[in-house]
Each structure stands twice: as C-alpha cells, then as structure tokens.
Amino acid sequence: MEQEPKSARVTAQRPKQAEEAKAEARARRACYLHADPAIWTDRMLEALEKGVKGGVWFSLIDKVARMTTLMRAFELVKANDGAAGVDKVSIERYEKSADRYLSELLRELTEGNYKPLPVKRVYIPKGDGKMRPLGIPAVRDRVAQAAVRMAIEPIFEEGFSDRSFGFRPGLGCKDALREVDRLLRSGYHFVVDADLKSYFDTIPHERLMTLVKEKIADSRILRLIELFLTQGIMEDMQVRASETGTPQGGVISPLLANVYLDPLDKLMESRGRQMIRYADDFVIMCQTKEEAESALNEVRSWVTEVGLTLHPEKTRIVNARANGFDFLGYRFERRHKRPRKKSLEKLKDTIRAKTPRTSGQSTSDIIANLNTTLRGWYEYFKHCSRNTFVVLDAMVRRRLRAILMKRHGRKGIPNGNCHRIWPTAYFEGLGLFSLLETYHRELALHQRQRRH
C-alpha cells in the first residue's frame, strides 16, 4: 500500500492545529473577561496565563498611547457619566469634539508631556448629616486614567485574593454578602468589624508605588500613575498638593486601593483567617472570641506598619448571635438579614420625597417614579427577611392613599375606609411594584429550581 507523503500529512494537520489554537484562545478570553481586547491580545493573555519573566511587565505605554485604546477609554468614561472637572468640559462637550480632544491627549501621552489637571473638590451630604468630600477629575484625565487601568488591571487581578470583592471585575457586594452569610451559618459568629479611617485619602504614595513596581516596570506608565497621585485638588479656587491618598473620584483609584490592601488579604489567608473585604470595608469571621481578638491584633499591627489608621470607634469585635453587625448596607442578626438603619431611612426619605400629599402628578406618574426606586432598592436588598418588605409596601400604599384622600377632599390619615376605597388590588392595577410579591415570586422560583 502506497504511503501518504509526509508533506501531505503535515498539511492536513495544520487546519486541526489552527482550530485547536483558536479554541484555546477563546477559552482563555472567557477566563479574562476584564482584559479589554482593545489592549489585551491573545498573545498577551497567553503571557499573562503562563507568567512573564520575573513577574514584571515592560513596554505597556505603547498599548496605552494609541487611538484605539483612548477611544475605548472614553466609551468607559462616558458610560459612567459624571460632571465636568476644573476645565468645565463636560462629557457631552468632549464627545462632540472627541477626535480633537483624543488626538491632543494621544500626542501628549506619546511625547511624554501629559500633565493632569487638579481634581475639583465638591461635597455631598452623608446620611448622618455630615458632608462627604468628592473629587471630580477633568474628562481628559478620566480618559487617561481609564487607558492606564485597562493596561494594568489584568496584571494585578491575576494575583488578587478571592476574598476581595470590591471594584473587581465579575464580583460585587452580593458575592461578599453571600460569603458572610455562609460563614455565619457555618458557626463563625465572632466578627472583627473593622473600619479604616479615611482610607482613600491616607494611602502613602511611596509604599503604594513600591507595590505597583513589583508588577510594572515601564517607567512611563509608572510616571503616569505618579502624576495621577499628585495632581492636586482645587477647592475654593485654591490648589493644594496631594501628598497622600489616591485621586478622589479617579477611574484608577479603586484598583490602586486594592493593590495597597492586597498584602493584608494575603496575610490573613496565610494565617487561616476568614476575611471578607469590599474595598476598605472588611470583616473577619471567627469561631471564638479569642480567635477574633488575635485577628484584630494582627490587623492593628499591619495597619500601623503600612501608615494607615483603624477608626477607634468603628472597629470592634461583635458576637453576631447576641448583637449583630452592619456590613455593606445590611444588618446581620443571628440568621436574619435586614437593611441597616441608615439604608432603610434613606429609602423612606426617598419615598416621602416622591409622594407629597400636594403632588400635582397623576397617580400613574407617581407610581412609575416610585417603581424606579423600589426596583433598584429591591435588587440589592432582596435577601432581607420577609417582614422588611411587608412594612415598606404598607408605607408606600399609605402614602399613595394620603394623596388620593387630599384630592377627594378627605382629611386625616388613611384609615380602614380608605383601604376599602383604594385596596391593594387598586394599586396593583396601576402597576405599583410590590416588594413582597416580588420576594414571594422569586422565592417560589428558587424552590422549584432546587427541586429539579
């Protein structure tokens, strides 16, 4: 029998090898969803997966300083919206002349003379009546930060702890809350409830840059990060230097904040601690009080060493079965979860603001406006106990009945007669979103899925 020529066999194998390579690349891409294709090619992802020499990445500036990257960065900035910075250029204005603005930014980055503008400082009210400082970088600087973040985030993400949930691609508050709930049910009832005082404002620059340099060796990328850290803050027409902290409101700040706390994650892991961290908010779940005290001492020692401060009044050890604790907007008590007091009062204030008795809107419009708030709130707090939804649904209907009473010339507060005139079914007919009904519907669906 005549043997097939070797060259023919090799040619036949090539399409198969090519398909296998493509399948491998697709699988790799699926594992690195946070790696934006505008920068991260299949070849770079392969290097990320297998590791680069010395674990340090060179030559990244060319990935940042190119038009395709900046265009993608602007798309991300635009999606997050936000106000204009000190140059008063809004996202809408920037978009109208995007070609010109992005070309200018590209030239500055390429020539190495880019310099960010100061961050505009504004204040927004907190739930306790105090004011929270907020920074607004210029749109051009948000684009530059987004471009740098696109380039370096996958490099750091590859090594971050699985117990860090804040500002992580594919992770979020619900994942952190789910893990806390699991540990409570597993007997971890003693909780180190920690709070870092003014964390984002107090991160030491030198130590942060040392951590960044463990993974990044491109001097121009490092220079850009240093510029972001020291770009200054404008308040009352005065610019002051940024000597510590990450840029307020900066696109790259969450990533840098995670980089700085990653050694704490690793320390707790190495000592077998069950720490769940969301940005600078974290708890350590323990089975005994002695274990919790030991963990808190370890955290205190580390925090002092790296130039941070634990809030003396907000850091404590809690017996969850006896007293409960707050985490990410939830109140954990024994086996129950409910919104913490501030979260609940904030929702009630919003409901009151949207349902004044003298409202001139139609009932349908008022309900449509309410539904936006109620749906968003439920999506986050859907894991609360049933009674939370009973109370809030009743409040919403009571507010709506008070408006209807006013329009019909009735005085006083809604009573049994009002319930008969405008029953729950009346509001259901107008499309009012019911927290309780949605809870029951999703619970039934979950139970059916578990049976099958």
Side-chain angles (χ1 to χ4, degrees):
M1 183 175 178
E2 186 176 349
Q3 188 176 12
E4 183 182 19
K6 181 179 180 181
S7 59
R9 293 199 305 272
V10 171
T11 302
Q13 289 172 358
R14 283 174 182 166
K16 182 180 180 180
Q17 292 173 344
E19 285 303 316
E20 290 176 349
K22 288 180 180 178
E24 185 180 338
R26 285 194 297 269
R28 187 179 294 115
R29 179 67 63 184
C31 291
Y32 295 102
L33 294 176
H34 55 281
D36 199 298
I39 287 182
W40 285 87
T41 63
D42 291 339
R43 185 177 178 183
M44 289 178 67
L45 288 180
E46 184 178 0
L48 183 63
E49 183 179 55
K50 295 180 179 179
V52 295
K53 186 176 181 180
V56 182
W57 287 72
F58 296 83
S59 303
L60 291 170
I61 188 63
D62 61 308
K63 313 298 189 301
V64 172
R66 62 186 182 195
M67 185 56 74
T68 52
T69 299
L70 296 183
M71 289 173 65
R72 174 60 180 151
F74 175 64
E75 288 177 11
L76 297 174
V77 170
K78 178 184 173 184
N80 285 328
D81 204 5
V86 295
D87 60 357
K88 300 182 181 180
V89 177
S90 65
I91 289 178
E92 293 77 14
R93 179 178 166 185
Y94 198 97
E95 185 176 24
K96 288 178 181 178
S97 302
D99 289 343
R100 176 170 63 85
Y101 283 124
L102 293 177
S103 295
E104 290 175 357
L105 180 58
L106 176 60
R107 184 175 64 254
E108 291 175 2
L109 291 170
T110 303
E111 296 175 355
N113 55 22
Y114 165 80
K115 187 176 181 181
L117 297 169
V119 173
K120 182 169 73 173
R121 171 64 61 85
V122 297
Y123 291 87
I124 57 175
K126 294 171 62 176
D128 56 6
K130 298 180 180 179
M131 302 298 285
R132 182 192 304 278
L134 181 68
I136 306 175
V139 175
R140 67 187 287 273
D141 298 328
R142 303 208 293 267
V143 172
Q145 287 187 33
V148 173
R149 178 171 177 169
M150 287 163 59
I152 69 173
E153 183 172 50
I155 296 170
F156 289 102
E157 270 293 324
E158 185 71 0
F160 280 161
S161 167
D162 292 337
R163 294 299 180 89
S164 167
F165 298 92
F167 309 114
R168 301 282 308 280
L171 296 174
C173 290
K174 292 179 184 178
D175 302 290
L177 293 165
R178 194 177 295 115
E179 185 63 12
V180 169
D181 198 41
R182 183 188 71 80
L183 289 167
L184 283 172
R185 293 175 184 276
S186 299
Y188 290 79
H189 297 132
F190 289 90
V191 182
V192 177
D193 185 6
D195 185 277
L196 290 170
K197 189 174 181 180
S198 303
Y199 171 61
F200 283 84
D201 290 332
T202 58
I203 299 175
H205 290 171
E206 185 175 350
R207 191 180 185 93
L208 172 59
M209 289 306 301
T210 298
L211 292 170
V212 172
K213 290 174 184 177
E214 290 180 1
K215 297 288 183 70
I216 307 296
D218 188 318
S219 61
R220 293 180 64 180
I221 292 292
L222 294 173
R223 175 59 179 157
L224 285 174
I225 295 173
E226 288 174 344
L227 286 172
F228 296 144
L229 292 173
T230 58
Q231 64 190 101
I233 299 170
M234 177 175 282
E235 185 175 3
D236 297 328
M237 302 304 293
Q238 298 292 321
V239 178
R240 63 177 177 82
S242 305
E243 297 179 356
T244 60
T246 56
Q248 288 279 346
V251 178
I252 203 169
S253 293
L255 173 61
L256 296 178
N258 275 335
V259 168
Y260 201 76
L261 287 181
D262 184 59
L264 176 60
D265 297 335
K266 299 297 197 314
L267 175 65
M268 292 294 103
E269 284 180 1
S270 70
R271 298 187 178 179
R273 306 299 187 196
Q274 302 293 330
M275 185 171 90
I276 297 92
R277 182 172 67 82
Y278 189 93
D280 59 331
D281 196 358
F282 63 91
V283 291
I284 304 173
M285 315 294 291
C286 305
Q287 293 179 310
T288 66
K289 184 177 180 182
E290 291 73 22
E291 182 187 350
E293 289 172 344
S294 178
L296 179 54
N297 286 334
E298 292 166 1
V299 171
R300 280 200 177 107
S301 177
W302 184 87
V303 163
T304 301
E305 180 184 337
V306 301
L308 301 175
T309 306
L310 283 175
H311 199 296
E313 298 173 2
K314 297 181 180 180
T315 299
R316 59 197 181 122
I317 293 175
V318 179
N319 183 337
R321 286 182 296 188
N323 302 310
F325 65 99
D326 295 339
F327 186 57
L328 301 181
Y330 273 85
R331 177 73 180 173
F332 288 86
E333 292 178 334
R334 298 189 180 185
R335 289 183 173 269
H336 299 287
K337 294 195 298 290
R338 58 183 175 84
R340 69 171 185 164
K341 186 175 180 181
K342 286 183 180 180
S343 303
L344 197 58
E345 287 305 314
K346 184 177 179 180
L347 173 65
K348 289 181 178 180
D349 287 343
T350 302
I351 292 172
R352 294 185 188 102
K354 291 189 173 188
T355 55
R357 293 188 68 156
T358 56
S359 174
Q361 291 182 299
S362 68
T363 306
S364 296
D365 286 344
I366 294 173
I367 287 175
N369 193 17
L370 276 172
N371 284 349
T372 301
T373 295
L374 296 174
R375 285 195 179 98
W377 191 89
Y378 177 81
E379 189 57 34
Y380 187 79
F381 288 103
K382 63 170 65 177
H383 303 293
C384 289
S385 57
R386 175 184 179 277
N387 190 57
T388 298
F389 307 127
V390 173
V391 172
L392 289 172
D393 274 351
M395 175 190 177
V396 171
R397 291 192 297 268
R398 184 170 62 252
R399 299 285 301 180
L400 291 172
R401 288 185 181 112
I403 293 172
L404 294 170
M405 284 179 62
K406 176 75 173 178
R407 291 177 180 177
H408 286 77
R410 296 171 178 264
K411 297 182 179 180
I413 60 175
N415 52 29
N417 190 40
C418 291
H419 286 232
R420 288 188 291 273
I421 299 172
W422 300 294
T424 300
Y426 172 79
F427 298 111
E428 289 176 354
L430 291 175
L432 178 64
F433 181 84
S434 169
L435 299 166
L436 182 62
E437 287 302 314
T438 306
Y439 170 78
H440 282 156
R441 187 167 59 250
E442 293 192 0
L443 180 62
L445 176 62
H446 177 66
Q447 290 171 342
R448 286 198 300 272
Q449 290 173 340
R450 290 185 64 182
R451 285 197 297 268
H452 296 290

